[in-house]
């Protein structure tokens, strides 16, 4: 049995810990948050994709969580899965990565394989991690091994999970890359080795920049299609019948989550830093996608005006405040700027989300309405922001005074769509 330390026990680190423990590794989850550690060790999971039963099995297989960095000394493999949010002016905030790197450098005594999974800009692995580990005379491929492997966790996805999603790895050397492939191959069905760490780092950014730009394209088309009286949803439905050369993307109230609003900015930062000019596609897509919450607010105001109702004082019910359907994760959810925009114009806001019992907006804590039918019928307008599976959209469309669907998810003739 090999010892594995996974630094960071969030939506990436905990599923990785689960898969490795199931494959026979002795797994220790290293966390800075003592409350998270206490919860995990007592069998309480804070990650939706890991059930209490999953965690119980992990604990039975020897998994434990800790805040003690000294566990690094016994590790054969160390994987860094810490958050990398955006800092000021779009600059990546690598505080957590740097702290993890420092902890490893202080406690690295075995010839361990270190893998960074946290999303970052190209060059991070070799510019930050490698020099830190080479202090005190240590040498790559003699005293430690180093690789980068981008996380591809899709929260709530029941089809593609960690084990059956191809895993990209790039080593700081060929030997390091081979060891990373060997490690991940023990619990992931397909592992793809690329040339080096920069290529692996950039692959993750390309994946989400591709999505970001194409979502920006259809969002822009949704705006002018409305003005030209064209049904953009029917257009996309028709276009995707082509069996080659087209992939369907859909407009919405904005982009959210842990990847699309952030990853393209890493790539843009890297281009600006190295070449002195912006990645213009990213800038344009960001402008368009960031404009969508305000566009939704304006559409709501126009729709109410057409029905002789002011937005100020109107009872507005939001359906779904998470960043994607059927999960509770609210990171960068477009519901926040949409809600703020409506509140700033004087709307009386309420929301419903079976996955989110309490929601923070403008410093105020709101509670999900208890009776959905009653809330729908009493609202001046109902806005669908996430098409959670429990919503009977045809029924909601019939009962609502006005129903605005930002997801093109309803077949109700009474609904207005983005």
């Amino acid at each position: 049995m090999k010892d594995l330390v996974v630094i960071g026990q969030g939506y990436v680190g905990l599923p990785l810990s689960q898969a490795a423990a199931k494959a026979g590794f002795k797994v220790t989850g290293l966390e800075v948050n003592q409350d998270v550690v206490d919860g995990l060790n007592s069998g309480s999971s804070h990650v939706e994709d890991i059930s209490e039963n999953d965690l119980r099995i992990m604990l039975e297989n020897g998994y434990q969580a800790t805040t003690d960095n000294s566990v690094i000394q016994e590790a054969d493999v160390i994987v860094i899965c810490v958050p990398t949010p955006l800092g000021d002016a779009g600059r990546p905030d690598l505080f957590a990565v740097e702290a993890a790197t420092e902890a490893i450098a202080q406690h690295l005594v075995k010839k361990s394989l270190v893998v960074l999974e946290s999303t970052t800009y190209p060059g991070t692995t070799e510019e930050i991690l490698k020099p830190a580990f080479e202090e005190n005379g240590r040498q790559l491929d003699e005293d430690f091994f180093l690789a980068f492997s981008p996380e591809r966790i899709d929260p709530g996805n029941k089809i593609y999970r960690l084990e059956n999603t191809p895993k990209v790895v790039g080593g700081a050397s060929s030997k390091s890359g081979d060891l990373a492939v060997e490690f991940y191959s023990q619990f992931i069905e397909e592992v793809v080795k690329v040339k080096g760490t920069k290529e692996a780092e950039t692959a993750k950014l390309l994946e989400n920049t591709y999505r970001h730009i194409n979502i920006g394209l259809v969002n822009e088309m949704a705006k002018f299609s409305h003005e030209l009286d064209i049904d953009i949803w029917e257009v996309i439905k028709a276009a995707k019948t082509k069996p080659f050369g087209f992939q369907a993307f859909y407009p919405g109230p904005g982009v959210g989550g842990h990847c699309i609003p952030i990853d393209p900015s890493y790539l843009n930062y890297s281009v600006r830093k190295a070449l002195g000019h912006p990645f213009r596609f990213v800038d344009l897509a960001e402008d368009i996608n960031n404009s969508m919450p305000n566009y939704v607010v304006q559409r709501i105001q126009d729709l109410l005006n057409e029905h002789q109702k002011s937005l100020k004082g109107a009872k507005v019910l939001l359906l779904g405040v998470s960043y994607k359907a059927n999960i509770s994760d609210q990171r960068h959810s477009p519901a926040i700027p949409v809600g703020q925009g409506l509140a700033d114009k004087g709307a009386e806001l309420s929301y419903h989300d079976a996955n989110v019992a309490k929601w923070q907006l403008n410093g105020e804590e709101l509670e999900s309405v208890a009776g959905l039918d009653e809330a729908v019928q009493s609202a001046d307008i109902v806005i669908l922001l996430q098409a959670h599976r429990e919503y009977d959209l045809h029924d909601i469309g019939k009962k609502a005074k006005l129903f605005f669907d930002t997801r093109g998810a309803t077949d109700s003739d009474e609904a207005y769509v983005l």
Side-chain angles (χ1 to χ4, degrees), residues 8-26:
Q9 291 295 279
Y11 74 95
V12 175
L14 195 57
L16 175 65
S17 297
Q18 180 202 23
K22 188 176 179 181
F25 282 84
K26 180 184 176 184

Side-chain angles (χ1 to χ4, degrees), residues 167-181:
K167 189 74 169 146
V168 171
V169 300
S173 66
S174 181
K175 176 63 174 176
S176 291
D178 289 341
L179 288 177
V181 170

